[in-house]
Amino acid sequence: EEALKVAEVEVSEPVEGMVWVAGSVKGPLAELSVQGKLVARNARYGEISLWDLAGPVRFDGDKLAAGPLRGHMEGFGFEASAEVRGLRGGKPVVVAQARSEPARLESIRQLAEMRVPVAGQVRLERSAVEVKDRKIARLEAEVSVSGLQVGAERVGDMKLVARGTGEQVRIEPVRVRLGGGRAELAAVIGLDGRSGEASVRLEECE
């Protein structure tokens, strides 16, 4: 008997909902090639709720590719693609990209649950992440926010640029309207979800 071990995947939370793949398999076991379509409905992983997702998937040699995948989650639509290289070498590398459609901030559950109401429109213009040895080797993202209002404060429009490696993500300084003047905001966020710091520099505020 000949066995093919494609990869081992560890998850910290159970995956709920409906996920399936349909497609075709070609070639001998040692040179297996798979092409198909991934479909998910009402799936949930930890705090992430995925309403629907669909798109092509391909496996060839030691590479698995998916996308473009189109779906909806937390009130907004998105498009994503991902590629996993080096599956048979024991040290796979994951490269992924994503972007989203515009979404209302108040429709995002985590923001809607905040004590101070947040309103406006947000869009993920682009993002890219590379994972090596189960750690983020590179992360880049660009997010646009328009008509932002926090409580009674009208902040206006802004564009956030984030870059990260290893254990933290740095939000590049951005200028916004605040308190009748302007302010410069910046932040560093730990990828462990428990650490981070932010800075605010006031400019011409009343």
Side-chain angles (χ1 to χ4, degrees):
E1 296 182 0
E2 184 180 7
L4 176 63
K5 180 180 179 182
V6 175
E8 293 181 351
V9 178
E10 295 183 4
V11 295
S12 57
E13 299 281 350
V15 179
E16 302 174 357
M18 186 177 297
V19 181
W20 70 92
V21 177
S24 61
V25 180
K26 299 180 180 179
L29 193 57
E31 300 176 2
L32 201 62
S33 176
V34 179
Q35 293 191 13
K37 182 178 182 180
L38 170 68
V39 178
R41 294 284 186 272
N42 298 320
R44 184 178 182 86
Y45 175 70
E47 294 296 318
I48 301 175
S49 297
L50 187 64
W51 297 353
D52 62 79
L53 178 71
V57 292
R58 301 168 297 282
F59 170 74
D60 189 3
D62 69 343
K63 183 173 67 175
L64 174 65
L69 302 170
R70 295 179 174 86
H72 294 83
M73 61 182 294
E74 294 290 350
F76 63 89
F78 68 92
E79 180 179 292
S81 61
E83 187 174 277
V84 186
R85 309 166 188 156
L87 286 171
R88 297 182 184 175
K91 292 185 177 181
V93 175
V94 181
V95 180
Q97 300 85 32
R99 61 187 182 89
S100 80
E101 300 173 356
R104 301 300 303 176
L105 287 169
E106 51 268 41
S107 70
I108 300 175
R109 177 173 52 84
Q110 290 85 345
L111 295 178
E113 294 174 352
M114 294 177 61
R115 292 184 178 181
V116 179
V118 178
Q121 183 171 274
V122 63
R123 178 174 186 171
L124 177 62
E125 301 288 350
R126 63 176 184 86
S127 67
V129 61
E130 183 176 349
V131 179
K132 294 181 179 179
D133 297 327
R134 301 182 183 179
K135 295 182 180 180
I136 294 180
R138 178 179 62 90
L139 185 149
E140 296 179 357
E142 186 174 304
V143 179
S144 61
V145 183
S146 59
L148 176 62
Q149 181 167 338
V150 181
E153 186 71 41
R154 293 184 179 274
V155 180
D157 303 341
M158 69 174 70
K159 181 166 288 188
L160 302 175
V161 177
R163 293 184 174 88
T165 57
E167 300 179 352
Q168 65 182 23
V169 174
R170 182 177 299 276
I171 309 297
E172 300 292 333
V174 56
R175 285 182 170 84
V176 299
R177 293 199 305 269
L178 187 65
R182 301 190 69 82
E184 183 180 85
L185 311 177
V188 177
I189 303 171
L191 295 177
D192 57 4
R194 299 186 297 271
S195 62
E197 61 181 38
S199 64
V200 179
R201 185 165 64 90
L202 301 180
E203 302 175 351
E204 304 174 2
C205 288
E206 297 178 357

